[in-house]
Amino acid sequence: VNRFTPSRQAALDRLNQFVPHAAEYTFNRNFADERCPGVSGLSPYIRHRLVSEAEVCRAVLDRHRFEAVEKFIQEVCWRTYWKGWLEMRPGIWDRYVEDCRRLRQQSHVGLAEAEAGQTGLECYDHWAQELIENGYLHNHVRMWFASIWIFTLKLPWQLGADFFYRHLLDADPASNTLSWRWVAGLHTPGKHYLARAENIRKFTGGHFNPHGQLNESASPLPQESPVPVVPLPDIPSTLDDDGRRRGLLLFAEDLSPESVLPPSFTIQGIAGGLSEPFSREKGPEDFTGAAIAESGKRLAGRFGCEFTPLFNGNRQEALKDWAARGGFEEIIIIQPHTGPWKTALETSPIPCPVRRIRRSWDSGLFPFASRGYFHFKKQGLQRIHERSISRP
Ligand SMILES: Cc1cc2nc3c(=O)[nH]c(=O)nc-3n(C[C@H](O)[C@H](O)[C@H](O)COP(=O)(O)OP(=O)(O)OC[C@H]3O[C@@H](n4cnc5c(N)ncnc54)[C@H](O)[C@@H]3O)c2cc1C
């Protein structure tokens, strides 16, 4: 956990360290040795938007030719693709949450050992411990881990996704749930991801070689029933300042709203810190809490107002008090994506008029996530290349 300092400055520092090496990413990114040298380590920051996808892409494109960093930008776009895809199919998230609740009430042979990293399968146990200790795993390791969980340990994919969600600093409803479904063969019907001993040996530099210990011939999981596809909500990407007295409510999903709000925009109060309405372990919860507190203070300085931490107590009451004390006529929020925060807003609405905003990155790219990643990549990357999606 110490590897990641929860602040915007730490996010920018990490980005600056990575940018000169971005062109080497294509060749190094699949190697998952102890130090993960080829990858950026930016996900806990991008996940909370301590630094945004647009800022990250702009920084690498300012330094390199598009072709040299295309692979890296494609990977950043996977996050956007998953988000847009889930936004149009919120039923997948609802079903996952319900499945987790149901499966948690049943007993599963080997689940406790899998969650403790005590299965006897050396590589898997090592990664489970690493996840618990660091709150981070390399992408290739996440793929192997999920595949072993589903096809070798034969545990329900939903509980594996839940295990990840509780421990990852970058836990993300879209990237996590949909990647687990992808490994299981539920995203692209009939296409699953099988971890192979030889691949693990090669990309861990010979550190692990689980030859003969993995199920390398499993079939994909049976298909789930489809969920309805819903239109993307129409949320503006700009705000005009009509002089109203307003508060800004921070969500853990977007902690750099200064890059979205117009420079002259006025805010009279900032609040944030409501704890995640979904179960997580203490390390990730502390990371998120500290990131919110740091951002609240930073933004309070920027807008010349007060930051009110809302870490304890009843969510609705705390918000009502804050809005009443500030005399706010409206509350600004950056619309959370499909996941626990959006559900919480729908089930217990903010007790005050709310104005929502969505980043133009999301508005511009989400519509291309209606189908497979190939379609998204073709349309989205072209726009990023042309810099027609240039605002945050
Ligand atoms: C089973 C499984 C579960 C996952 N769960 C999560 C999760 O909860 N939260 C999360 O942020 N990512 C998740 N990922 C995606 C990916 O593994 C991480 O984003 C990546 O490992 C983060 O490390 P990095 O920033 O060093 O990656 P880099 O390789 O440096 O990538 C740069 C950025 O691109 C994006 N990115 C890269 N690969 C992917 C990918 N496969 N899918 C989506 N975005 C990607 C991330 O924003 C990342 O920060 C999961 C992948 C798998 C296979």
Side-chain angles (χ1 to χ4, degrees), residues 25 40-43 75-76 79 136 139 142 170 172 176 179:
Y25 178 84
S40 69
L42 280 166
S43 59
E75 293 303 309
V76 173
R79 174 186 298 279
Y136 174 88
N139 180 60
R142 295 185 202 208
D170 62 28
D172 181 312
N176 188 49
S179 296

Side-chain angles (χ1 to χ4, degrees), residues 292-323:
I292 295 173
E294 187 275 337
S295 300
K297 285 182 208 142
R298 187 186 78 245
L299 290 159
R302 154 85 172 70
F303 288 104
C305 62
E306 211 177 273
F307 169 60
T308 308
L310 299 177
F311 282 97
N312 300 312
N314 174 299
R315 185 178 308 148
Q316 285 255 333
E317 285 304 314
L319 279 171
K320 221 172 174 170
D321 273 9
W322 169 64

